[in-house]
Amino acid sequence: MTTITDALRRLPKVELHCHVEGTMRPSTVVELATRNGIALPTDDPTQLYRYTSLDTFLDIFWLVQSVLGDGDDWARLAYESVIDGAEHGLAYRETFFTPARHLDAGQRLGDIVAGLAEGLVAAEDATGVRVMLIADIDRAYGPGPGRELVEQLVELRRSGAPGTDRVLGVGMDSTELGVDPTDFASAFDLAGRSGLRRTSHQGEVTPPDTIRAGIDVLGCERIDHGLSLLDDAELTKRFADERIPLTVCPNSNIRIANAFPRLEEHPYPQMRDAGLLATLNTDDPAMTDLDLTYEYHSVMEAFDYTWDDMVAIALEGVEGSWLDPDDARALKERITAEGDRLRPVVDVEG
Ligand code: HPA
Ligand code: ZN
């Protein structure tokens, strides 16, 4: 491992766009599928992860989700996801889980959240990495189940059900094509009125008006992907002026959405040059053979960023997060101190 790669691995990092199901180790996919009687098209996981677009990726994502049979499986998934993230300097993550498929199959939201929280507590004890949860609506299931998910979540929180204090907010993912985000206004309205934070995948493969709907109609405080934002100059200026965070996943945009042939063609630097708060994230690391070290290192190389640029990007992850102000300040201090400590190491190589 080169010195720069190692320094980037050690730099404490925040992740705001990571699907817990997309962190499932290939070996765990196969093991849980066998145990829960889910047929996989192949028992070689490297052959499983083949796709050419967001929608063909989602077919595999949904298959991987379907191997999660009960609360213990969710706990194991959550635990392993943090252990694997910690290897790459993860300090804090706000992670998505998308339970529509499991609720449809008869699992209970309370069991899912309790299982996830149990795994997170154990992993936090083992690593010191802190992880909070975002309950994602699956757009493919439509607005009715989306609203029901939020209703159930609000009720579980009201009754103090185990693990629900870890759920900071709601989001929305899955297919974008042919779906009008404003159909989900009622679900997001209830979430907002109930004190839940709001975010949503928008503009990964759709035009910027879906991003505008995300903030103006759904009340989102940040937008996941937001890849098409630069196509709208006025909306870009608004995001920059108001520092509305984007959770950008450059390598995922290449490997999942097939939006660009090479990382060098990704508009990440144009986003930053436009003054956008463009945080850096992996999306579905285990399903795309990614990790945070690679995400940071590949972006640094592709766009000729300096060490200080990369530290600034890590700090922007804190700015875009939903940490309370004291915790955010402490994490910023930690990142700055580590950035200073590691700079000479990088300078030797650079
Ligand atoms: N987009 C939409 N839905 C998803 C994604 C994504 O990148 N990853 C997992 N579910
Ligand atoms: Zn995503």
Side-chain angles (χ1 to χ4, degrees):
M1 190 180 281
T2 68
T3 319
I4 289 182
T5 320
D6 195 44
L8 286 169
R9 188 176 64 76
R10 284 167 196 271
L11 183 70
K13 293 175 285 298
V14 170
E15 194 159 42
L16 306 177
H17 188 152
C18 181
H19 301 260
V20 71
E21 303 92 335
T23 69
M24 200 185 302
R25 296 174 183 167
S27 54
T28 302
V29 176
V30 172
E31 204 183 310
L32 294 185
T34 307
R35 170 144 33 93
N36 293 328
I38 306 292
L40 298 176
T42 163
D43 56 12
D44 177 357
T46 59
Q47 294 302 312
L48 193 58
Y49 296 159
R50 299 250 180 267
Y51 31 78
T52 52
S53 67
L54 174 57
D55 283 1
T56 54
F57 164 81
L58 286 170
D59 287 338
I60 310 294
F61 185 80
W62 293 335
L63 181 64
V64 167
Q65 283 187 320
S66 70
V67 307
L68 292 158
D70 62 18
D72 288 346
D73 294 346
W74 287 95
R76 172 174 172 177
L77 169 67
Y79 178 81
E80 292 178 353
S81 79
V82 183
I83 299 297
D84 295 348
E87 289 281 307
H88 294 280
L90 180 68
Y92 175 66
R93 182 186 273 161
E94 290 167 5
T95 200
F96 304 121
F97 68 106
T98 311
R101 180 153 289 89
H102 312 90
L103 300 178
D104 204 41
Q107 290 185 43
R108 288 199 311 237
L109 184 61
D111 295 338
I112 295 171
V113 172
L116 284 166
E118 185 191 315
L120 295 179
V121 168
E124 277 180 0
D125 287 349
T127 64
V129 177
R130 187 166 158 212
V131 179
M132 301 299 276
L133 294 166
I134 300 172
D136 262 13
I137 292 169
D138 185 329
R139 250 185 286 252
Y141 279 73
R147 165 89 191 191
E148 280 162 33
L149 171 66
V150 180
E151 283 171 0
Q152 285 182 37
L153 184 59
V154 168
E155 178 52 30
L156 284 171
R157 277 163 41 106
R158 202 195 50 73
S159 65
T164 47
D165 48 342
R166 275 199 190 254
V167 186
L168 284 176
V170 300
M172 181 158 73
D173 62 38
S174 182
T175 187
E176 290 186 356
L177 296 174
V179 180
D180 181 351
T182 66
D183 289 347
F184 295 82
S186 156
F188 277 80
D189 178 57
L190 175 61
R193 281 189 284 112
S194 309
L196 287 157
R197 315 294 294 258
R198 287 171 284 180
T199 186
S200 178
H201 284 54
Q202 301 295 352
E204 183 178 4
V205 294
T206 50
D209 54 311
T210 63
I211 300 175
R212 184 181 288 103
I215 52 172
D216 285 341
V217 180
L218 304 184
C220 293
E221 301 163 58
R222 65 187 189 217
I223 292 292
D224 305 310
H225 289 301
L227 195 53
S228 62
L229 178 61
L230 291 176
D231 295 344
D232 184 324
E234 173 263 319
L235 192 60
T236 299
K237 182 169 177 338
R238 188 171 151 207
F239 267 68
D241 289 348
E242 297 176 25
R243 296 289 279 168
I244 301 172
L246 295 177
T247 64
V248 186
C249 311
N251 284 292
S252 158
N253 293 156
I254 299 196
R255 297 183 189 191
I256 293 181
N258 261 293
F260 312 96
R262 306 159 55 233
L263 187 56
E264 287 74 6
E265 290 170 47
H266 192 282
Y268 188 67
Q270 287 88 317
M271 290 172 143
R272 297 196 79 236
D273 290 348
L276 294 170
L277 178 49
T279 66
L280 193 55
N281 308 272
T282 60
D283 207 2
D284 297 287
M287 295 183 64
T288 43
D289 198 20
L290 289 173
D291 56 61
L292 266 181
T293 309
Y294 180 85
E295 196 71 46
Y296 271 62
H297 190 242
S298 60
V299 160
M300 186 177 185
E301 285 205 320
F303 307 123
D304 277 332
Y305 284 150
T306 63
W307 176 252
D308 286 348
D309 290 328
M310 301 318 293
V311 175
I313 290 170
L315 288 168
E316 284 163 9
V318 183
E319 185 181 345
S321 79
W322 293 335
L323 278 169
D324 69 42
D326 285 345
D327 290 338
R329 197 174 313 112
L331 183 50
K332 279 187 174 173
E333 283 170 11
R334 189 176 147 206
I335 293 171
T336 304
E338 273 300 294
D340 288 344
R341 201 181 64 77
L342 292 164
R343 185 178 299 104
V345 180
V346 177
D347 285 346
V348 168
E349 179 157 320

